[in-house]
Amino acid sequence: MKKGLAIGGIITALVILIAAGTVYFRYGFVFGEGVKAGVLNRVVYKGYIFKTYEGYIIQDGISSKQLSTKGGKVTTGTAIQSNEFYFSVTDKAIADSLMYHCGGKKVQLHYKEYKGTLPWRGQEKFIVDKIVSVEDGE
């Protein structure tokens, strides 16, 4: 009887450790970090229960794309494209600076990437934690 309780306790401890490790790696472990640059388009404070700061920047770029494949011939060309980088901000001071001083300006933002989102941290997996630089664009 005692042996069965000991094995049950070990299995329970293992299940708890595996669950805790999974939760940590999904929501607490920083998967990647870097810097993105672009024109700040929007930062808003929104949410139903958890109010969070959400925003995005527009990154300009040029890409080569396959345009058509008529008659077995592949035609390629270059096109101007814009990519949007959606992010959340947890620090109110950074969010206020972005909202009130950086709109429409070219910014470089340092971010951390997580594998999962938490409602109180924001809607996005990318969390901006620092403004690297701001340019007026004029």
Side-chain angles (χ1 to χ4, degrees):
M1 190 70 170
K2 287 185 178 185
K3 194 175 198 180
L5 286 176
I7 291 174
I10 290 171
I11 290 173
T12 302
L14 283 175
V15 168
I16 290 171
L17 281 174
I18 290 170
T22 302
V23 168
Y24 170 74
F25 281 109
R26 179 87 178 151
Y27 302 106
F29 178 73
V30 176
F31 177 68
E33 59 182 293
V35 175
K36 292 273 189 173
V39 176
L40 182 65
N41 191 289
R42 177 182 75 187
V43 176
V44 294
Y45 184 60
K46 66 180 185 176
Y48 292 111
I49 296 173
F50 296 102
K51 297 283 190 185
T52 58
Y53 294 97
E54 309 294 328
Y56 72 94
I57 59 176
I58 298 173
Q59 302 172 283
D60 292 331
I62 297 177
S63 69
S64 296
K65 293 188 176 188
Q66 179 177 326
L67 299 176
S68 64
T69 56
K70 292 185 179 180
K73 248 182 161 177
V74 176
T75 322
T76 58
T78 43
I80 296 176
Q81 72 178 35
S82 65
N83 296 313
E84 295 172 344
F85 173 64
Y86 290 89
F87 60 87
S88 297
V89 182
T90 56
D91 187 338
K92 183 178 179 350
I94 292 172
D96 285 345
S97 181
L98 289 170
M99 286 174 77
Y100 301 118
H101 305 294
C102 300
K105 296 179 180 177
K106 185 169 182 173
V107 295
Q108 286 187 335
L109 303 175
H110 183 270
Y111 66 90
K112 292 182 179 178
E113 179 182 359
Y114 296 90
K115 295 302 284 178
T117 62
L118 294 169
W120 53 87
R121 191 166 60 193
Q123 296 177 349
E124 303 298 328
K125 294 179 182 179
F126 300 99
I127 308 297
V128 168
D129 61 350
K130 184 168 43 169
I131 301 170
V132 177
S133 69
V134 179
E135 297 175 20
D136 274 335
E138 295 175 10

